[in-house]
Amino acid sequence: WKKTSFYTSWNIFRRRFRDTYKKMNELNNIKYWLFDLDNTLYDGATKVFDQVDKKMTKFISEKLKINSEEARKIQKSYFQEYNTTLNGMIKNHEIDAQEFLDFVHDIDLEFLKNDKGLELELSKIKDKKIIFTNGSRAHAENVTKRIGINKLFDGIFDIVDSDFIPKPAIETYKRLIDKYKIEPQYCIFIEDIARNLKPAHELGMKTVWIKNNEPWAAKFSDAEFVNYKTDKLANFLKELNENRWNRKNY
């Protein structure tokens, strides 16, 4: 019985290893890398976006002259209906978008530290790397500088570049593709909000979901348009880089 159990366990391990190796091999022809910013290039546990979240509530409260509780309700309602709070504020209140972006991204990033592991793995990828964010370019620059990876990207495609049409609107993905001359079949998109991966998959990209416990971000994470899942970006890139190196040298 013990012998049979051993071989059964061994065969299961072999199948899983083979399937994982096969899936990772699918990524050896990737030429374009798209990275979400918030809670993707840094760990969501740092609560950086919590500061942005609170600043949005404050902006709405002051702009609409309502209390924080009412502002919070509007903020979350707009996020669900329009995919970003900013988009809802533009459509319903004709606010100055740049004023909103400057205000909500004026946050303390002093506690963010250099991520040497992520820096190393990103530096090994010589393909085109783009940050694709519903936030602002300035916020992306500030965050990546704090964690030591700001010089490792070929571009930032922010909410201004998308003409304030946020992910997951497919026209925004097409706009990004046109701007950077991306071939979708050779592209991978890494993101913490699962629903934002759907348009990328429909366009022919591979997709990676950064696991997290936020219900709105995890919704659809088991859908077919999610090709890969990882707990930490640096670990995923390390595994992929090692697989690429082994394939090249053996």
Side-chain angles (χ1 to χ4, degrees):
W1 178 87
K2 289 184 178 179
K3 187 175 182 179
T4 302
S5 178
F6 170 79
Y7 282 116
T8 300
S9 298
W10 173 246
N11 285 332
I12 291 173
F13 171 79
R14 285 177 61 193
R15 281 198 300 271
R16 287 178 178 173
F17 179 82
R18 183 185 63 230
D19 292 345
T20 300
Y21 184 77
K22 183 179 179 180
K23 284 196 75 176
M24 294 305 284
N25 273 343
E26 293 175 353
L27 302 181
N28 285 324
N29 63 349
I30 294 297
K31 301 177 184 177
Y32 311 92
W33 297 75
L34 303 181
F35 298 89
D36 174 50
L37 176 69
D38 290 306
N39 299 337
T40 296
L41 288 179
Y42 62 83
D43 193 332
T46 59
K47 304 296 183 182
V48 169
F49 197 74
D50 280 12
Q51 292 187 64
V52 177
D53 192 54
K54 291 174 182 175
K55 292 291 292 274
M56 284 192 280
T57 304
K58 185 177 181 181
F59 182 93
I60 294 169
S61 175
E62 293 178 356
K63 187 62 65 174
L64 303 185
K65 296 179 173 57
I66 57 178
N67 63 43
S68 295
E69 185 177 348
E70 287 300 312
R72 187 77 175 167
K73 288 178 182 178
I74 289 174
Q75 177 186 343
K76 295 308 174 184
S77 172
Y78 286 174
F79 177 77
Q80 293 297 329
E81 185 174 354
Y82 301 102
N83 295 309
T84 64
T85 301
L86 171 59
N87 199 23
M89 290 294 288
I90 291 173
K91 290 181 180 297
N92 293 288
H93 307 285
E94 298 182 349
I95 65 161
D96 182 328
Q98 195 59 55
E99 179 189 2
F100 176 94
L101 290 170
D102 291 344
F103 184 87
V104 304
H105 291 132
D106 182 16
I107 58 174
D108 178 21
L109 296 174
E110 288 300 315
F111 62 91
L112 270 184
K113 306 300 180 185
N114 278 16
D115 189 336
K116 294 296 184 182
L118 181 59
E119 179 186 4
L120 176 63
E121 299 308 328
L122 283 172
S123 68
K124 292 177 182 177
I125 298 172
K126 305 305 180 184
D127 312 302
K128 185 174 287 186
K129 300 184 289 294
I130 309 295
I131 294 173
F132 182 18
T133 176
N134 279 344
S136 70
R137 177 180 299 273
H139 179 54
E141 290 172 346
N142 290 337
V143 168
T144 54
K145 186 174 182 179
R146 285 297 305 174
I147 57 181
I149 59 173
N150 55 306
K151 296 180 180 180
L152 300 177
F153 295 94
D154 299 284
I156 298 170
F157 191 91
D158 74 342
I159 195 66
V160 178
D161 293 306
S162 70
D163 198 23
F164 300 102
I165 302 172
K167 297 177 284 186
I170 197 165
E171 58 262 43
T172 291
Y173 297 67
K174 291 178 179 178
R175 189 188 294 259
L176 181 151
I177 288 170
D178 289 341
K179 179 174 181 176
Y180 290 103
K181 306 295 185 265
I182 290 171
E183 300 169 277
Q185 69 271 29
Y186 299 119
C187 183
I188 189 168
F189 180 37
I190 305 171
E191 160 82 67
D192 70 302
I193 302 178
R195 69 171 183 251
N196 289 345
L197 296 172
K198 187 174 187 289
H201 186 267
E202 291 175 350
L203 290 166
M205 301 179 192
K206 295 297 184 184
T207 61
V208 184
W209 179 58
I210 303 292
K211 296 179 185 178
N212 63 89
N213 296 320
E214 293 288 352
W216 49 269
K219 189 177 181 181
F220 305 117
S221 60
D222 290 324
E224 291 185 1
F225 57 77
V226 178
N227 299 129
Y228 301 87
K229 299 178 183 181
T230 185
D231 293 300
K232 189 175 182 180
L233 176 58
N235 294 345
F236 179 83
L237 297 182
K238 181 179 181 182
E239 183 178 1
L240 180 56
N241 282 330
E242 288 176 349
N243 186 67
R244 280 180 155 189
W245 189 90
N246 289 333
R247 184 181 176 89
K248 181 179 179 181
N249 290 277
Y250 290 98

